[in-house]
Amino acid sequence: MKTTTRTIHCRHLLAGLSLLFSVLESQGQCNFQITAPAGTTQQFPCNEVTVTSDGDAFYGNDCLSGPYRIGFWVEGSYTFTFANPVAQVSLSFEDLLRITDINLFSDITLEVNGIPTPFPGAGTPSSCNPLPAVLNPSGSLRCPACPVGQNICLASCDNINITGTISSITIRDVGSLGLADGSIFTIFFCGLSAGNLQDNTIIVCEDELINFLPPTNVHLEPGTILQYIVYEDINNPIGSILATSNTPSFPFHPGTMNTNTAYYISSIAGENLNGNVNLDGDCVAFSNAIQVMWNALPAVVFTADDTELCKNECAVINASFSGVSPFSLTYSTSLGGQPITETYNDPVNTIEICPPFNINISNIKIQAIRVSDSLCTCD
């Protein structure tokens, strides 16, 4: 009596990672809205903003803008000071008032880093008020002339983008004789952001790539890059990184990862250090996490309890499967003929090989060609 064992399993090559970097630039409105009341500081990833006010300035939303309201009776302003300079600020205004009396006017002015600065444009039309704002020759914003027959009218505008190295920005409502007419505005700034990933759990087979969509709402600052990581501990991403990629795709790494184990993927943004995000830098921004898993490939183990056969006797082969039933096995034997495909519901099964009477039975072989379970296929 002899016992033999043979394991059939899959071998596959792991695809390399493409060293391709993608620099994403902010378009239109920025990603972080400032909402702190005057006299307070608002915390953001990698930055904080201190808000102060002067004159006629108060707090409250209206239409699509807010929460900052200035100059409804006399001149007023808000100043926003950044702990770390930012590269872009986006502003939207409503309630820019105009009275047909040419001696009564109200303008919105801009100061960047304490220096009077012309607005770069009048933005895009807003749904809050029907008239678009106009840019004065001095660079301030104002409501255009009222339509014929109207003594009072309102204008508004969205997405006025101020770029540069911005440490502070002041928005002021000024008017004739110190009497302003009031404006409501919203302010966003572009800060380092790794964006948002589509929040779906991804499960693939061990020999497949995990592919996912790039993040939305990414903002990179000069000298920063975006990458992707696979990690183990959702509460400690940096301390549990298993793999890094420059594209939204990962293979399974058998040396550092386990099959049938939940991992997490995030995009990260930070200082470019020799082509990688500097994990020890002043700021590393993370996207949300998506859960991923690689399912193990199925395998089959052939064993024979008795390899000493008599003439006209069938060989009995035990086929033991790993994976999730049902199983499908395609195999061939040394007796020749077409490959045989069978389906099994149980993990342990038997296969009979019955050679013709005149065949030498001393060296019968069985070879698995394909094994599949309910999740994966091994060729």
Side-chain angles (χ1 to χ4, degrees):
M1 177 77 67
K2 297 182 180 179
T3 299
T4 61
T5 301
R6 187 176 184 192
T7 302
I8 306 298
H9 57 87
C10 284
R11 297 182 183 273
H12 54 276
L13 298 177
L14 297 181
L17 300 179
S18 173
L19 299 178
L20 173 65
F21 291 92
S22 176
V23 177
L24 307 179
E25 297 180 353
S26 172
Q27 299 288 336
Q29 184 168 283
C30 289
N31 52 329
F32 294 131
Q33 183 181 7
I34 306 172
T35 57
T40 65
T41 296
Q42 187 173 355
Q43 299 292 327
F44 293 93
C46 309
N47 215 331
E48 63 180 22
V49 182
T50 300
V51 182
T52 57
S53 65
D54 183 62
D56 184 11
F58 57 105
Y59 194 85
N61 289 75
D62 194 9
C63 189
L64 301 178
S65 296
Y68 300 109
R69 308 165 74 103
I70 50 175
F72 276 79
W73 300 102
V74 295
E75 292 185 7
S77 68
Y78 271 99
T79 297
F80 306 89
T81 303
F82 300 93
N84 299 312
V86 298
Q88 181 172 317
V89 168
S90 181
L91 297 162
S92 296
F93 293 91
E94 65 171 295
D95 285 359
L96 301 179
L97 183 66
R98 180 69 176 255
I99 301 176
T100 53
D101 186 337
I102 61 173
N103 295 314
L104 296 176
F105 65 88
S106 181
D107 287 349
I108 304 298
T109 64
L110 172 68
E111 297 171 22
V112 177
N113 302 334
I115 301 172
T117 304
F119 279 97
T124 57
S126 168
S127 61
C128 285
N129 289 304
L131 293 177
V134 295
L135 191 66
N136 291 325
S138 65
S140 62
L141 292 177
R142 184 182 293 184
C143 180
C146 293
V148 176
Q150 292 187 27
N151 293 325
I152 299 176
C153 55
L154 295 171
S156 60
C157 57
D158 288 338
N159 297 329
I160 299 175
N161 298 312
I162 298 100
T163 60
T165 303
I166 304 171
S167 297
S168 70
I169 188 165
T170 298
I171 312 300
R172 192 182 308 276
D173 192 323
V174 301
S176 62
L177 305 176
L179 297 175
D181 289 319
S183 178
I184 304 169
F185 70 93
T186 302
I187 179 169
F188 286 76
F189 74 93
C190 295
L192 183 68
S193 172
N196 301 298
L197 293 175
Q198 186 172 327
D199 190 12
N200 293 324
T201 298
I202 302 174
I203 300 176
V204 299
C205 296
E206 181 182 351
D207 58 347
E208 296 176 334
L209 291 174
I210 282 182
N211 295 302
F212 51 99
L213 294 175
T216 58
N217 301 319
V218 171
H219 179 75
L220 298 180
E221 297 175 342
T224 64
I225 61 171
L226 182 76
Q227 290 185 300
Y228 305 91
I229 56 172
V230 177
Y231 55 100
E232 292 180 288
D233 186 352
I234 195 169
N235 297 311
N236 182 24
I238 289 181
S240 61
I241 293 175
L242 299 176
T244 302
S245 175
N246 301 317
T247 58
S249 178
F250 282 97
F252 178 75
H253 292 273
T256 57
M257 301 175 183
N258 296 314
T259 57
N260 306 324
T261 301
Y263 296 110
Y264 302 94
I265 287 177
S266 292
S267 54
I268 59 173
E271 175 190 359
N272 185 349
L273 179 64
N274 300 322
N276 289 292
V277 170
N278 181 7
L279 300 178
D280 297 320
D282 292 335
C283 178
V284 179
F286 291 83
S287 73
N288 59 305
I290 57 175
Q291 191 174 57
V292 300
M293 180 184 295
W294 282 271
N295 283 324
L297 294 173
V300 62
V301 177
F302 293 133
T303 60
D305 294 332
D306 188 356
T307 59
E308 296 177 351
L309 302 179
C310 299
K311 289 285 187 178
N312 206 28
E313 184 180 3
C314 294
V316 178
I317 308 296
N318 300 313
S320 299
F321 294 93
S322 62
V324 180
S325 63
F327 304 96
S328 176
L329 172 65
T330 300
Y331 65 93
S332 62
T333 71
S334 56
L335 300 179
Q338 294 296 316
I340 301 168
T341 299
E342 300 284 353
T343 300
Y344 307 94
N345 291 317
D346 298 320
V348 179
N349 303 271
T350 58
I351 299 172
E352 281 194 348
I353 301 176
C354 299
F357 180 79
N358 61 345
I359 293 294
N360 183 354
I361 62 175
S362 62
N363 192 26
I364 294 177
K365 296 180 181 180
I366 184 170
Q367 174 68 48
I369 300 173
R370 169 177 288 190
V371 183
S372 64
D373 65 2
S374 62
L375 301 176
C376 301
T377 297
C378 174
D379 290 310

